[in-house]
Amino acid sequence: MKVQVYKKGGFELVTKELNRRKAIRERCLNCLNWSPKAVAQCFANKCQLYPYRSGQGKQDAAARAKAIRGYCLDFCCVGQPYEVQKCVSRYCPLFAYRHYKTDRSVECTQDAEKGHIRGYEATAMGDR
Ligand code: SF4
Ligand code: SF4
């Protein structure tokens, strides 16, 4: 689904085509200042997104959806489901996936940039 998220630097918006796998990758890049190397070296192995942060490899779709829900609930909203439901951070990459059911209210129609795919490659090749 095409959504708007913040560009590297966090000030401008860009349209990207995200699914749950890519949304987690994007969120992890946001978390560590858009550094693929830092995401690869993330030491927060208790973070619910940790196993999915590379955006690569085989992933269990149900477990991944649960991890996003858990991250929103426990990490971001101190265990308050109502806060997740009422989240206003529409440019957070996880917004559309914060419930098990996809929230299409943030879907947009602009052409999508493929920026975070470069992030995948950079992970393999080092930060650049
Ligand atoms: S796994 Fe968690 S702590 Fe690590 S980069 Fe992703 S969101 Fe941040
Ligand atoms: S979608 Fe909302 S609740 Fe979930 S991580 Fe982003 S800001 Fe937090």
Side-chain angles (χ1 to χ4, degrees):
M1 179 170 72
K2 286 194 270 188
V3 294
Q4 288 196 300
V5 294
Y6 285 108
K7 253 183 175 170
K8 183 174 182 177
F11 294 107
E12 290 176 60
L13 293 170
V14 63
T15 301
K16 291 195 178 180
E17 179 109 39
L18 300 181
N19 51 25
R20 282 182 173 76
R21 174 190 288 265
K22 292 178 179 178
I24 291 176
R25 174 67 179 167
E26 194 73 30
R27 175 63 196 150
C28 288
L29 288 168
N30 294 176
C31 176
L32 292 174
N33 199 25
W34 285 268
S35 166
K37 186 175 180 183
V39 173
Q41 294 174 347
C42 172
F43 56 80
N45 61 2
K46 300 282 189 229
C47 176
Q48 307 210 32
L49 303 185
Y50 184 87
Y52 309 102
R53 72 194 191 287
S54 72
Q56 295 172 318
K58 191 168 162 53
Q59 298 183 356
D60 178 321
R64 182 179 58 207
K66 196 173 169 189
I68 294 176
R69 176 68 184 170
Y71 179 86
C72 289
L73 189 58
D74 299 334
F75 180 84
C76 198
C77 294
V78 291
Q80 300 295 319
Y82 181 77
E83 297 296 329
V84 179
Q85 189 186 346
K86 295 294 176 192
C87 174
V88 293
S89 299
R90 57 176 288 126
Y91 304 125
C92 173
L94 299 181
F95 186 92
Y97 305 110
R98 71 195 191 282
H99 307 303
Y100 290 106
K101 186 166 186 253
T102 303
D103 180 349
R104 294 200 169 270
S105 67
V106 287
E107 187 166 22
C108 66
T109 54
Q110 287 102 323
D111 289 340
E113 188 182 85
K114 298 189 177 5
H116 74 279
I117 298 297
R118 287 200 299 275
Y120 288 11
E121 292 161 0
T123 302
M125 295 190 272
D127 224 355
R128 53 190 190 149

